Amino acid sequence: MFTSRAVTIVGWLQSFFPFGWYHKSCKLFVFSGLFVVLITSQHSYATDCHTPDDAIGGGQLFLQAEGNSCFSSPQLDMDVSIHITGTIARVKLEQHFRNPGLDWVEGVYVFPLPEDAAVDHLRMRIGDRVIEAEIREKRQAKAIYRAAKQAGKKASLLSQQRPNMFTTSVANIGPKEIVTIFIEYQQKVRLDQGQFSLRFPMTLTPRYIPGTAQPGADPDADNGQPYNTGIVTDAAEISPPFGTRGSDHHPASISVVLKPGFPVADVNSLYHPVDKTRIDDQHYRVNLARSQHLSNADFVLEWTALSQSEPFASLFVEQVDNRYYAMVMLMPPHGNTPGTQAINKKTIPKDMVFVIDTSGSMAGESIRQAKQALIRAIEQLDSEDRFNIIEFNSTTHALFRRVQPANNEVKSHASSFVRGLEANNGTEIYPAIERALIVDGGADDGPESMSRTRQVIFITDGAVGNEEQLFNLIKNRLGNSRLFTVGIGSAPNSHFMAKAAEFGRGTFTYIALSSEVESRMDALFQKLQSPVLTDIKILNSDQYALEFYPRPISDLYKGEPLVISLKSDRQPTELTISGRSNGEQHWSETLIFDRQVSRAGVSALWARRKIDSLVNRYIGIKDPVSKDEMRLDITRLAIDHHLVSRFTSLVAVDKTPERSAQQSLKTHALKNNPPKGSKMRMPRGATPAQLQIITGLFCLFLAAAMAGFYKRYSRIRVPGNHA
Amino acid sequence: MLKIPMIRFVAVAVILLLLLFGATQVGRGGWIYAKAILAQYLLADAWDKTLTDNAFHKPWPWADTWPVGRLTAPQLATDVIILSGDHGEALAFGPGHHSRSAMPGTAGTILIGGHRDTHFNFLQALRSGDLVRLQSSRGEWADYRITGMTIADARTDLVLASDTHSRLVLVTCWPFDSIVTGGPLRYVVDAEPVVRNF
């Protein structure tokens, strides 16, 4: 291969300067004087071949699918119906796979779901027939699906790639046929600072895959990055293709029935134009038609309670086979009692480390929001606080060697550093988190560092594929630090950020619009400055067994509710919940189970949280034998509760074969919409090299000419002076 | 004439500044060419590895891109390694393969972009009927015959992608001899596979 390289280099030199370079440069040399003005504005090059953000669909060279006539890839559209009762949502997702062509096709669609979705039902509708799916161990389910696919039977498989990323595969969709897949899941409603919200993700942000491509990787024509690596062994499965910007590859309609169980003050869809209908003050309907939006940004519905009618606690129970399941949501009286008020006033000096993601996936609107959020955060710092900023993409760079006091001078220096940040390169998060979790107070003020609250604020879109490696890092290195994640962009990887915050014993804040940056960052800061409720414990007066999740119960920040799922063999009657504030203030609350609201899905949510907790432990286990036991435990639990999980999938198979062996089957990966606001990176057609060399040569020439003049001038004038 | 030392000082300062600025500009411009040339050594290594094990290899550990093909124009003695992705990070080192187009060695439209003043400068010398060859990661060579060249406006024009109809499209900025970068015009070279009769 030495010869090939030699040819390469010779070819290069020729191709740089072959076609009248000298002639051209002479001509340009004269003109280059005019461009001296341009020299000072280096940034003008950066816009090369890019277009303004608002001109989506224009200014870029796109790939476009050919007309339907010769395009046999299946088309997809979706209907989503969400029923919210109290603090639990039941979501039904219909995916219609339409085959416009004359071939038999298999459709594979990788799609996002909320990170806490407990998926328990899958149905397949062909014409008038409906086939219910069964829960199976993941590999077994795949084998069943494959066998059916080869036998020419219709089959569908739903498997989990990540807790917030799933794949539906539908085999043997006949010519001009429609197969509808029904997926159902439970989800908790989120409550933060008195604001209830529910999120339905519409598309994915392409993930960065660290590591080197593994041998035997199979290059697949349809996928953006289909190469598994040593760190991300399933890169191909989590890297679906993305469609062209501006056209909707999976149009979705959404209808919501909202019955929160209390009078509602305000219902809002944050990013989509919706039709709202008020049935009564405790019952609303919200609709979003397919034509009203491109499915490229997460759908978020927010509602608040009329003042004085906020629920202090909510309780739902479900009885399954003599077992009792319950979900409790409880608002601790944070800072409202006189005792805690006093603690509130005492601000605790903090060490804050801000970590900002400046990788290529953040380019465009995301990096602008992140910078805005970070500048807002710096402004909020107290003079007694100390801070540092770590920027990362392919490499990690800290602004200061160690945390600096937040005086005005340092703050303005930091702000101008942040303003200058640009997004490019890869997303190597690992070294950045590692760096952020090192306590760098220095030897001279060691004890002071110990007494301070150390908080790491991590601003990112979380577009990574190596989540588990990062969770392990956070778990092992956290120490006394607390990690808070701030999700940026229209489709951030919320599973990664929610989980990272959970391992980091902090919270997750989600910002999708520039206009939200201030309010969300201020709310986060309020949380950070308030005392934390710790050591939360649950006691039941009777001595029956009680299994609750999450375990251990995480710390609670101001405005956050306590949400626990529990299981017991007897009907629970009374529960006492207690906690400590700043290690001093003691708080306890007794809940009496008198008025019980029965609700299907409570057991599924409990199982989902138990699976979460077991998977967290599973990730950390090194010993292969106990790892395998844990895997079996999780599989058994998921099968008992009919849940899709890391180790279980839902599979539905039709009984009758439809495709004959003579007809071939083509597999198509369905495209996701590129997330709103992110830049499409298009080829730059040229480098500024020529211009730089020419202006450079011109300056050198000018310098030489001036030196010549100067020499003559000094020879004539200087002796004259003496005469 | 007390002013003379002052004038001298200013003149020397201006000359020095011009020298310094000129040298950095030439250096920066030269660095772009140097990077484009030097990276090819590492790319050729990574491509050799790919040809032996049919897996993709990053040319250096922190690279955001890796070789996915090799393009030659035999009559121009041009030989370039194609990288994955047509973002700026890749194009600094070699022409980039548009990630949503077909991979070299598969059916469909293959779209490759490159800088007009470095790797894709040779596009202006290609004529209809010329041959270009593209090597896939499996080591197979596919021959393409140039069918035409067009000037396109990237703000309005699109490249049609097909799953079935094989085609090679090479794109660079246009005009070739403009020293100002960032124009909307593109030079598009179309090539059809040469059908081999066995």
Side-chain angles (χ1 to χ4, degrees):
Chain A
M1 275 300 165
F2 270 107
T3 43
S4 86
R5 200 177 305 151
V7 171
T8 306
I9 298 304
V10 172
W12 280 103
L13 290 171
Q14 282 181 348
S15 67
F16 288 153
F17 311 108
F19 308 105
W21 160 262
Y22 295 105
H23 171 73
K24 197 167 73 187
S25 58
C26 284
K27 190 173 68 186
L28 294 173
F29 197 78
V30 182
F31 284 119
S32 60
L34 299 170
F35 286 95
V36 172
V37 193
L38 279 176
I39 295 167
T40 46
S41 57
Q42 293 288 337
H43 284 288
S44 61
Y45 308 135
T47 57
D48 193 10
C49 293
H50 282 299
T51 47
D53 276 343
D54 47 2
I56 291 172
Q60 289 155 350
L61 192 62
F62 290 133
L63 287 172
Q64 194 190 42
E66 274 175 5
N68 278 349
S69 52
C70 59
F71 194 75
S72 60
S73 170
Q75 316 282 302
L76 175 71
D77 46 62
M78 297 190 286
D79 293 306
V80 185
S81 79
I82 303 173
H83 282 254
I84 302 165
T85 317
T87 50
I88 298 175
R90 176 95 184 158
V91 183
K92 287 181 191 170
L93 178 62
E94 289 177 37
Q95 300 175 336
H96 311 281
F97 288 80
R98 205 153 33 82
N99 177 8
L102 296 170
D103 297 316
W104 286 80
V105 295
E106 178 192 25
V108 180
Y109 177 47
V110 180
F111 62 101
L113 283 182
E115 65 272 13
D116 61 343
V119 183
D120 57 0
H121 273 285
L122 171 71
R123 253 169 278 143
M124 171 167 68
R125 191 179 70 200
I126 313 143
D128 296 334
R129 286 180 300 140
V130 175
I131 297 153
E132 185 80 37
E134 287 170 35
I135 189 87
R136 286 278 189 276
E137 195 269 323
K138 200 174 190 174
R139 273 169 299 182
Q140 202 190 344
K142 202 166 183 175
I144 293 172
Y145 174 80
R146 268 209 195 122
K149 177 173 136 184
Q150 267 150 24
K153 294 176 188 167
K154 280 208 173 49
S156 59
L157 174 72
L158 176 66
S159 44
Q160 174 187 316
Q161 310 304 341
R162 292 288 185 276
N164 64 341
M165 193 195 269
F166 291 76
T167 304
T168 350
S169 311
V170 185
N172 296 311
I173 312 174
K176 308 279 177 199
E177 198 176 25
I178 299 176
V179 174
T180 300
I181 301 298
F182 297 84
I183 295 165
E184 290 185 33
Y185 64 86
Q186 327 282 333
Q187 189 193 355
K188 298 188 297 283
V189 164
R190 187 181 154 112
L191 170 60
D192 196 5
Q193 318 296 325
Q195 187 91 59
F196 293 86
S197 65
L198 191 85
R199 192 146 84 95
F200 180 80
M202 294 272 199
T203 191
L204 303 156
T205 297
R207 296 185 181 201
Y208 176 75
I209 308 294
T212 328
Q214 272 182 342
D218 179 31
D220 186 324
D222 250 336
N223 282 356
Q225 175 146 6
Y227 323 117
N228 296 342
T229 71
I231 297 169
V232 186
T233 50
D234 60 351
E237 274 128 55
I238 62 166
S239 308
F242 284 84
T244 50
R245 185 166 294 276
S247 54
D248 204 341
H249 297 273
H250 42 80
S253 77
I254 295 182
S255 70
V256 186
V257 175
L258 176 63
K259 289 180 176 172
F262 50 78
V264 175
D266 198 18
V267 183
N268 261 320
S269 152
L270 292 192
Y271 316 116
H272 296 81
V274 293
D275 301 323
K276 280 183 277 189
T277 320
R278 181 180 176 276
I279 312 289
D280 60 53
D281 65 350
Q282 303 201 14
H283 186 180
Y284 278 77
R285 279 172 193 274
V286 178
N287 286 300
L288 174 65
R290 272 179 213 164
S291 55
Q292 282 173 317
H293 69 120
L294 277 174
S295 310
N296 61 359
D298 291 1
F299 174 82
V300 179
L301 194 69
E302 281 193 348
W303 61 99
T304 45
L306 269 180
S307 56
Q308 306 307 319
S309 65
E310 285 120 337
F312 147 77
S314 77
L315 174 68
F316 292 98
V317 291
E318 185 185 18
Q319 188 187 350
V320 183
D321 306 333
N322 288 327
R323 298 255 162 76
Y324 294 87
Y325 297 89
M327 195 181 97
V328 184
M329 188 185 263
L330 176 70
M331 204 67 210
H334 225 303
N336 291 336
T337 55
T340 46
Q341 202 83 96
I343 300 166
N344 259 345
K345 293 214 172 80
K346 198 168 67 188
T347 51
I348 319 141
K350 303 179 292 288
D351 274 0
M352 299 199 115
V353 180
F354 300 99
V355 184
I356 181 167
D357 181 347
T358 55
S359 64
S361 64
M362 293 281 288
E365 183 58 25
S366 297
I367 188 74
R368 271 196 294 279
Q369 285 171 23
K371 284 158 76 168
Q372 204 185 335
L374 186 44
I375 288 169
R376 183 78 186 170
I378 294 167
E379 283 166 7
Q380 301 262 318
L381 287 170
D382 212 63
S383 58
E384 284 187 27
D385 297 336
R386 297 185 303 181
F387 75 110
N388 198 356
I389 298 172
I390 294 169
E391 172 224 357
F392 75 96
N393 39 56
S394 296
T395 53
T396 297
H397 169 68
L399 173 61
F400 306 118
R401 269 186 56 222
R402 58 172 71 158
V403 282
Q404 295 295 311
N407 57 42
N408 288 339
E409 202 182 323
V410 175
K411 275 160 86 169
S412 71
H413 175 61
S415 296
S416 61
F417 167 78
V418 172
R419 275 187 202 98
L421 292 175
E422 277 173 35
N424 48 38
N425 292 328
T427 315
E428 297 288 357
I429 293 190
Y430 194 96
I433 296 181
E434 202 174 27
R435 172 74 182 77
L437 293 178
I438 295 171
V439 180
D440 54 359
D444 44 335
D445 58 0
E448 204 200 331
S449 287
M450 297 302 282
S451 73
R452 282 165 176 257
T453 323
R454 194 161 183 287
Q455 292 162 336
V456 178
I457 320 285
F458 189 24
I459 305 170
T460 178
D461 59 3
V464 288
N466 58 329
E467 291 104 329
E468 291 189 358
Q469 195 197 15
L470 300 170
F471 296 151
N472 266 331
L473 173 73
I474 297 168
K475 204 156 81 173
N476 296 335
R477 299 281 177 83
L478 189 68
N480 285 323
S481 303
R482 294 290 174 266
L483 180 70
F484 297 81
T485 49
V486 179
I488 296 278
S490 28
N493 177 0
S494 53
H495 157 64
F496 168 70
M497 279 173 292
K499 205 67 175 229
E502 191 187 315
F503 279 117
R505 302 181 67 185
T507 63
F508 165 42
T509 307
Y510 169 53
I511 301 175
L513 291 179
S514 297
S515 57
E516 296 174 350
V517 170
E518 277 182 23
S519 60
R520 303 266 155 139
M521 285 311 281
D522 291 356
L524 173 62
F525 259 75
Q526 238 195 331
K527 255 184 212 173
L528 298 185
Q529 273 153 357
S530 314
V532 181
L533 205 59
T534 55
D535 298 325
I536 300 168
K537 288 194 177 75
I538 299 182
L539 290 168
N540 56 330
S541 43
D542 318 323
Q543 291 306 307
Y544 54 83
L546 198 63
E547 193 180 351
F548 61 84
Y549 294 96
R551 199 166 49 184
I553 296 171
S554 42
D555 299 347
L556 282 187
Y557 292 86
K558 196 185 171 193
E560 286 185 328
L562 175 69
V563 186
I564 21 174
S565 293
L566 53 91
K567 184 188 98 168
S568 80
D569 297 336
R570 285 167 48 184
Q571 185 146 7
T573 51
E574 202 179 288
L575 275 184
T576 303
I577 298 163
S578 67
R580 283 144 70 87
S581 203
N582 266 4
E584 296 163 23
Q585 198 74 23
H586 193 263
W587 161 81
S588 90
E589 205 82 58
T590 301
L591 282 180
I592 297 161
F593 287 45
D594 53 351
R595 202 175 65 88
Q596 294 177 357
V597 184
S598 206
R599 179 85 165 83
V602 169
S603 64
L605 282 175
W606 175 86
R608 171 65 210 247
R609 294 181 91 177
K610 179 169 181 178
I611 290 171
D612 262 5
S613 154
L614 294 181
V615 168
N616 286 353
R617 269 159 59 198
Y618 173 85
I619 295 167
I621 296 176
K622 294 239 161 52
D623 170 43
V625 179
S626 28
K627 203 169 175 98
D628 215 46
E629 275 171 25
M630 185 63 98
R631 185 178 59 79
L632 286 175
D633 285 349
I634 297 170
T635 310
R636 224 172 289 134
L637 177 69
I639 287 178
D640 283 350
H641 288 267
H642 214 265
L643 287 183
V644 178
S645 72
R646 189 188 178 106
F647 304 121
T648 50
S649 302
L650 282 164
V651 60
V653 177
D654 194 5
K655 300 288 175 288
T656 42
E658 290 182 349
R659 178 175 59 87
S660 68
Q662 286 81 37
Q663 292 163 310
S664 70
L665 180 73
K666 285 182 182 160
T667 299
H668 290 276
L670 281 116
K671 294 184 168 81
N672 265 280
N673 291 329
K676 189 177 176 177
S678 75
K679 256 189 201 166
M680 286 289 298
R681 295 185 294 186
M682 291 308 299
R684 275 196 204 188
T687 66
Q690 256 186 43
L691 182 58
Q692 283 174 344
I693 290 181
I694 289 165
T695 47
L697 286 175
F698 180 80
C699 290
L700 291 177
F701 172 77
L702 208 65
M706 277 181 71
F709 276 123
Y710 172 71
K711 226 172 151 187
R712 261 172 65 190
Y713 168 84
S714 50
R715 222 183 279 140
I716 298 161
R717 292 296 302 269
V718 176
N721 268 340
H722 285 285
Chain B
M1 299 297 269
L2 274 171
K3 276 183 182 166
I4 283 178
M6 194 59 195
I7 290 169
R8 262 187 204 173
F9 176 76
V10 170
V12 169
V14 167
I15 289 169
L16 283 179
L17 277 176
L18 279 172
L19 277 175
L20 192 73
F21 185 77
T24 39
Q25 283 303 97
V26 171
R28 288 173 62 145
W31 175 236
I32 290 174
Y33 287 128
K35 218 161 59 165
I37 298 169
L38 293 175
Q40 286 289 321
Y41 280 105
L42 295 168
L43 293 184
D45 274 345
W47 185 240
D48 283 354
K49 272 193 236 161
T50 299
L51 291 179
T52 48
D53 63 7
N54 192 21
F56 292 108
H57 297 278
K58 289 188 175 183
W60 44 92
W62 60 93
D64 266 4
T65 180
W66 50 86
V68 294
R70 180 173 160 200
L71 180 73
T72 67
Q75 72 280 19
L76 297 174
T78 301
D79 188 338
V80 286
I81 305 281
I82 309 298
L83 293 168
S84 77
D86 51 10
H87 46 91
E89 295 302 315
L91 294 192
F93 306 113
H97 168 256
H98 188 94
S99 54
R100 284 197 266 108
S101 70
M103 285 294 285
T106 62
T109 307
I110 302 169
L111 175 60
I112 299 171
H115 284 322
R116 63 162 157 77
D117 53 347
T118 56
H119 311 89
F120 265 8
N121 192 266
F122 76 94
L123 291 195
Q124 61 184 310
L126 290 174
R127 295 289 169 263
S128 283
D130 283 357
L131 202 68
V132 287
R133 312 186 72 209
L134 186 63
Q135 190 182 29
S136 74
S137 60
R138 286 187 295 275
E140 295 150 3
W141 285 95
D143 292 357
Y144 293 85
R145 183 84 60 194
I146 310 286
T147 54
M149 289 85 64
T150 42
I151 311 295
D153 187 329
R155 289 171 301 194
T156 53
D157 298 349
L158 305 165
V159 173
L160 278 180
S162 166
D163 289 356
T164 46
H165 177 64
S166 287
R167 193 160 72 110
L168 175 67
V169 182
L170 307 173
V171 178
T172 192
C173 268
W174 193 85
F176 279 94
D177 56 0
S178 161
I179 57 165
V180 184
T181 59
L185 298 181
R186 298 287 182 280
Y187 190 70
V188 182
V189 177
D190 265 302
E192 296 281 341
V194 177
V195 184
R196 265 179 272 181
N197 296 313
F198 293 100

